[in-house]
Amino acid sequence: MSESQIEGMFESVTDRAKSVGLNYDFSKMKNANTKKAHRLAKFAESQGKGSDIDEALLSAHFTDNLALNDDEVLLSIAESVGLSQEEAQAVLSSDQYADEVAQDIEEARAIGVQGVPFFVLERKYAISGAQPQALFQETLQKVADEMGIKPGLQVLGDSDDGLCEDGSCAF
């Protein structure tokens, strides 16, 4: 790609991010080998914190401009999502989860992933790059229709009534 094409791509991603309240500045982002971050994410997944760490790592990279190859940064992120510092340090200081990450990389290559973000739904549909929200909605609806998933109850009214917190509801 030419420099102007890359700048246009960054501008497009920045605009899409801004439309959902995120502030990306590609000129400040730290370029880093993320294998340690991926191994840490695999550990977090084994502890039931996969989604939490994924969000924290993305935020650290894209909005906070932190280096995802820095152990101190990664340990801080691990702590922020409730992971044991000692166990996270043990993962970072070893090659634990390296095979799982290598397997993910091989699978990505086999299905033609050439960049990130890249979303695979039901191993049937793929969305490459930062695409408009409408494309995600249409694709998710198509998958839901094919799987026979019907919409659940729609909660109306004030959702800040104190009944549901931290993913659990008390009645």
Side-chain angles (χ1 to χ4, degrees):
M1 295 178 104
S2 71
E3 189 173 333
S4 64
Q5 288 174 310
I6 293 170
E7 287 173 6
M9 181 181 67
F10 285 169
E11 185 177 319
S12 176
V13 171
T14 300
D15 290 345
R16 288 207 176 105
K18 191 171 287 186
S19 75
V20 294
L22 299 172
N23 295 310
Y24 288 4
D25 184 349
F26 282 91
S27 69
K28 293 181 181 176
M29 286 184 190
K30 307 280 190 289
N31 192 10
N33 182 321
T34 59
K35 284 190 179 178
K36 280 187 178 183
H38 282 88
R39 289 190 304 101
L40 184 64
K42 287 292 185 184
F43 165 65
E45 186 180 316
S46 78
Q47 303 297 303
K49 303 276 186 179
S51 294
D52 295 335
I53 203 157
D54 288 347
E55 286 296 322
L57 288 167
L58 290 170
S59 179
H61 177 69
F62 286 105
T63 60
D64 300 335
N65 304 309
L66 299 175
L68 295 185
N69 60 341
D70 183 293
D71 284 7
E72 287 183 34
V73 169
L74 294 172
L75 288 170
S76 176
I77 292 169
E79 183 177 41
S80 77
V81 300
L83 294 171
S84 158
Q85 283 283 306
E86 294 78 24
E87 291 179 73
Q89 180 62 61
V91 169
L92 296 176
S93 299
S94 70
D95 66 351
Q96 194 174 2
Y97 298 101
D99 289 343
E100 290 89 338
V101 171
Q103 185 177 355
D104 286 348
I105 292 168
E106 184 56 38
E107 183 177 357
R109 284 186 181 134
I111 63 173
V113 175
Q114 295 181 347
V116 293
F118 193 92
F119 304 91
V120 178
L121 299 125
E122 288 300 305
R123 296 188 170 276
K124 187 174 181 182
Y125 299 101
I127 300 174
S128 179
Q131 299 295 328
Q133 183 176 342
L135 178 63
F136 284 93
Q137 289 172 319
E138 291 168 20
T139 308
L140 288 169
Q141 186 61 57
K142 185 173 189 156
V143 169
D145 290 346
E146 289 178 6
M147 294 179 69
I149 298 172
K150 304 291 182 212
L153 290 176
Q154 202 171 14
V155 178
L156 303 175
D158 186 8
S159 63
D160 192 23
D161 55 13
L163 292 177
C164 297
E165 296 176 359
D166 297 329
S168 63
C169 294
F171 294 94

